[in-house]
Amino acid sequence: MDDLDELFGQSPAMETVRESIRRLVARQQPGRRLPAILLQGETGTGKGLVAHLIHRLGPRARGSFVDVNCAAIPEPLLEAELFGFERGAFTDARRAKAGLFQTAHQGTLFLDEIALLPEMLQAKLLTVIEERAVRRLGSTRSEPADAWIVSATNADLPTAIREHRFREDLYHRLAVLTIKLPPLREREGDTLLLAERFLGKVCIDYGLPPKTLGPDARERLVAYPWPGNVRELANVIERAALQADGPTVSARHLELREEASLTSAAARALGGAPGASMDDAMRNHLRTTLEQTGWNISRTASILRISRNTLRARMEKLGLRSGPDTQGAIQAGERGQAAPATTAPTTAPEAVLDPVQAAAPIPPGSIILPPIRWQRRRITLLRASLTVPEADDDRPETSRVLELLVDKIHTFGGRVEELGHTGLDASFGLEPIEDAPRRAANAAMALLKAVPRMRGQNAEILAVKIAIHTGSYTIGQVNHALQIDQAAKRQAGTILDALIEVAEPDSAVVSAAT
């Protein structure tokens, strides 16, 4: 049970979690049917870590641990990934393939983000869990699939049941035993303990001299509400350790201004409406930012400088996922596509751009578009490319690594510009930040450390190549949205292509300008 020390913290809330796991594991016996476990907690509270611990300490430790993020795999592929398929079951099914349920046979299957499982698959999942057998797509017979089911969610499943977004019978089957993980703000005293632990680990990982937290940094860490919980804390400490030149990490290195600015901006958006709550302010601000980006999740998270998972969790909490138009736009944004804005264009004569337009007659029904402002700005561009065989570019491991790439880009103040199956392009300095080249380099270092740890034994499949280039480019601004000029993006893309071409797997190539 010493492995439970990985659940670091001295707060009563964490001791309760450790005790729950001890009792759960002690009661399970090999060869018996194991109860499904539901892990509930906000994003970043460590649900994945707890799932790994339960597997490692439980009676099926010798079996496989299969991790599935239900939100990361495209819906058309999810059924085939979970349940497998026979040759010829669909286009490009050139050979039969076992599903992840069969891969986890006599082991553990971890279903993360279970609340986002499509309704079509919920009934089939229920059948597989009850019968402990699975029928592949295109097959007429069932095969054994006895996996210990551990699922996790940051959503309120009872609410999802009432809104008919989640099956009640599946919920009861998944939540035979439930473990609730506390948010960091409820773990009194643990924030500084975790921060010091992360700081020491980062210094060792990157070969940095030992660093300490300054008094102002410690005060800021305790005061911050940590909406992204332990994951956000780890990312903040990693960034601060790399940004700090001296032996002391100060509050300015933490860069924890965004939550305060988000709250104040939201309060201004409310305009002091009587009876308005902070949730109302936050909801209005998030909706405004989402509409500015066409409900693009990646770009909205980049503007707010939070991770996509944190953004999705806030949207879920504030009810910004309901409604067919909103839901469709959010799903489009999660795929990296720009969805149509939900607000109608401004029509004359309600909006006027300048005095010249005001003086000129405007035909009825005309649409007045916002002006585009152009400027030159020095920015740093980063391209990360995964070496993935074409036949494997839709593997779950690839999606999880891409999530990691996006998270690290946001951690160091970058913005994802383009996202594909096997890589991404990001910019640093498009939104005003200090020392964009160094931030891009630190992000690259973080990726080169994190990707090998995540991919496990798939070294030949998921190696990463990184290219970084800095230049002065034309930037267009429409309302508050900034975009790199199309011709400038093509020019920079040519340079990044050349740098990626000479990069070795698991390395970064940096241009002389950077």
Side-chain angles (χ1 to χ4, degrees):
M1 287 299 180
D2 291 340
D3 284 333
L4 286 174
D5 291 340
E6 290 184 33
L7 293 177
F8 191 67
Q10 299 178 1
S11 63
M14 284 308 296
E15 183 54 42
T16 299
V17 172
R18 285 191 289 265
E19 184 59 31
S20 296
I21 296 175
R22 286 191 189 97
R23 290 199 305 267
L24 184 155
V25 173
R27 293 172 180 172
Q28 310 311 319
Q29 298 179 9
R32 299 289 183 88
R33 182 161 186 162
L34 301 175
I37 300 169
L38 177 65
L39 306 177
Q40 289 186 314
E42 296 178 8
T43 180
T45 49
K47 297 185 290 294
L49 172 62
V50 171
H52 276 89
L53 279 175
I54 290 173
H55 169 72
R56 197 160 69 241
L57 297 173
R60 296 197 174 182
R62 294 185 179 181
S64 300
F65 180 87
V66 179
D67 182 356
V68 184
N69 188 324
C70 299
I73 305 175
E75 184 174 339
L77 300 176
L78 187 56
E79 183 175 9
E81 286 291 338
L82 284 174
F83 308 120
F85 55 85
E86 295 292 342
R87 179 180 177 183
F90 51 84
T91 305
D92 294 332
R94 300 183 182 88
R95 56 184 174 82
K97 179 182 177 182
L100 296 176
F101 261 95
Q102 288 179 281
T103 304
H105 182 61
Q106 297 301 312
T108 303
L109 181 65
F110 176 45
L111 299 173
D112 199 6
E113 303 277 11
I114 189 64
L116 299 180
L117 187 71
E119 293 183 29
M120 178 187 69
L121 298 183
Q122 292 179 22
K124 189 165 185 178
L125 174 61
L126 178 64
T127 301
V128 173
I129 293 174
E130 290 179 340
E131 298 180 358
R132 289 189 285 180
V134 64
R135 189 171 66 186
R136 302 187 194 185
L137 294 178
S139 177
T140 57
R141 61 186 179 86
S142 296
E143 302 174 62
D146 181 15
W148 191 7
I149 305 298
V150 180
S151 56
T153 182
N154 57 29
D156 183 357
L157 286 183
T159 298
I161 291 170
R162 288 194 298 271
E163 296 175 354
H164 305 290
R165 292 183 286 110
F166 201 84
R167 293 177 61 106
E168 184 174 7
D169 48 3
L170 178 59
Y171 168 73
H172 292 305
R173 176 59 68 183
L174 293 174
V176 176
L177 296 175
T178 300
I179 298 177
K180 295 183 178 180
L181 302 184
L184 187 54
R185 62 183 175 276
E186 296 179 5
R187 296 172 54 178
E188 185 177 355
D190 283 352
T191 300
L192 290 180
L193 290 175
L194 287 166
E196 290 169 347
R197 184 183 179 101
F198 290 145
L199 183 59
K201 186 176 185 302
V202 168
C203 291
I204 292 173
D205 284 349
Y206 289 94
L208 302 173
K211 298 179 186 289
T212 58
L213 295 169
D216 58 340
R218 298 171 70 87
E219 182 180 345
R220 187 72 184 93
L221 288 168
V222 172
Y224 188 69
W226 298 110
N229 294 293
V230 179
R231 183 188 294 117
E232 183 182 7
L233 175 62
N235 287 342
V236 166
I237 294 298
E238 181 179 28
R239 179 184 65 224
L242 291 171
Q243 295 290 107
D245 291 322
T248 302
V249 174
S250 66
R252 67 182 180 86
H253 296 127
L254 299 175
E255 299 179 356
L256 292 177
R257 302 180 297 273
E258 201 53 40
E259 190 71 18
S261 65
L262 178 62
T263 301
S264 61
R268 289 195 300 272
L270 271 178
S277 67
M278 189 56 65
D279 280 354
D280 294 330
M282 187 77 73
R283 184 182 299 105
N284 285 355
H285 184 61
L286 284 181
R287 182 185 292 110
T288 299
T289 309
L290 285 161
E291 289 173 353
Q292 289 172 359
T293 63
W295 291 86
N296 185 294
I297 294 294
S298 294
R299 290 185 178 177
T300 302
S302 183
I303 290 173
L304 299 176
R305 290 182 63 186
I306 57 179
S307 72
R308 292 193 301 172
N309 282 340
T310 300
L311 175 59
R312 283 195 288 257
R314 290 182 184 178
M315 292 167 65
E316 184 77 24
K317 176 184 176 182
L318 298 172
L320 288 175
R321 299 185 66 91
S322 59
D325 296 337
T326 299
Q327 183 66 31
I330 291 173
Q331 290 173 349
E334 289 176 339
R335 293 192 296 269
Q337 304 166 357
T342 57
T343 53
T346 305
T347 58
E350 295 177 358
V352 176
L353 295 180
D354 54 48
V356 176
Q357 286 183 325
I362 301 175
S366 298
I367 297 176
I368 296 179
L369 300 176
I372 300 177
R373 297 180 175 86
W374 298 97
Q375 58 180 300
R376 298 284 292 183
R377 184 174 295 177
R378 193 164 182 81
I379 63 174
T380 298
L381 300 172
L382 179 149
R383 173 169 293 172
S385 177
L386 297 175
T387 56
V388 183
E390 184 177 351
D392 292 324
D393 64 0
D394 60 353
R395 292 167 59 98
E397 294 92 338
T398 308
S399 295
R400 286 195 293 272
V401 173
L402 282 173
E403 289 276 349
L404 173 67
L405 298 183
V406 172
D407 190 46
K408 293 298 183 186
I409 294 299
H410 290 161
T411 294
F412 288 90
R415 189 179 97 170
V416 174
E417 299 294 335
E418 295 184 8
L419 183 66
H421 281 294
T422 59
L424 59 79
D425 286 353
S427 65
F428 293 80
L430 197 60
E431 305 288 342
I433 57 173
E434 296 179 1
D435 206 358
R438 179 175 178 178
R439 288 174 179 271
N442 285 338
M445 291 171 60
L447 290 173
L448 293 175
K449 289 287 184 181
V451 171
R453 287 199 296 263
M454 172 171 277
R455 71 183 178 223
Q457 302 301 317
N458 298 309
E460 75 288 352
I461 296 177
L462 294 175
V464 63
K465 296 181 177 183
I466 300 174
I468 305 176
H469 175 63
T470 302
S472 180
Y473 296 107
T474 302
I475 307 298
Q477 180 176 353
V478 183
N479 290 334
H480 300 290
L482 295 170
Q483 297 292 335
I484 303 173
D485 173 67
Q486 203 172 40
K489 188 178 290 187
R490 286 196 298 268
Q491 176 191 0
T494 301
I495 298 173
L496 293 173
D497 284 339
L499 295 174
I500 284 287
E501 187 68 25
V502 299
E504 296 291 332
D506 291 333
S507 73
V509 177
V510 181
S511 69
T514 304

